[in-house]
Amino acid sequence: METIVILIYVILFLIALILSFASVKYFITMWKFKNRKKDGSEDGDFKRFD
């Protein structure tokens, strides 16, 4: 019984880790998008936001 609980905790921990990694990556991308150059020279990286 205890091994099942430990297994569930490990799975939940892995899911939380993956989600936090994805949100940090998204946050960095949005921060770069917000602080991009105004002349449009970096727009090739941000086609999906337009």
Side-chain angles (χ1 to χ4, degrees), residues 17-36:
L17 204 69
I18 291 166
L19 282 176
S20 62
F21 179 72
S23 62
V24 164
K25 221 170 86 171
Y26 178 74
F27 173 77
I28 290 171
T29 308
M30 285 308 288
W31 183 76
K32 279 187 192 168
F33 179 70
K34 202 164 68 85
N35 294 324
R36 68 182 173 171

Side-chain angles (χ1 to χ4, degrees), residues 31-48:
W31 183 76
K32 279 187 192 168
F33 179 70
K34 202 164 68 85
N35 294 324
R36 68 182 173 171
K37 294 188 182 73
K38 294 289 183 280
D39 59 3
S41 62
E42 297 177 355
D43 280 356
D45 299 337
F46 301 108
K47 281 280 186 274
R48 60 178 176 214

Side-chain angles (χ1 to χ4, degrees), residues 1-10:
M1 187 67 189
E2 286 177 11
T3 53
I4 295 171
V5 173
I6 291 170
L7 197 68
I8 290 171
Y9 274 120
V10 168

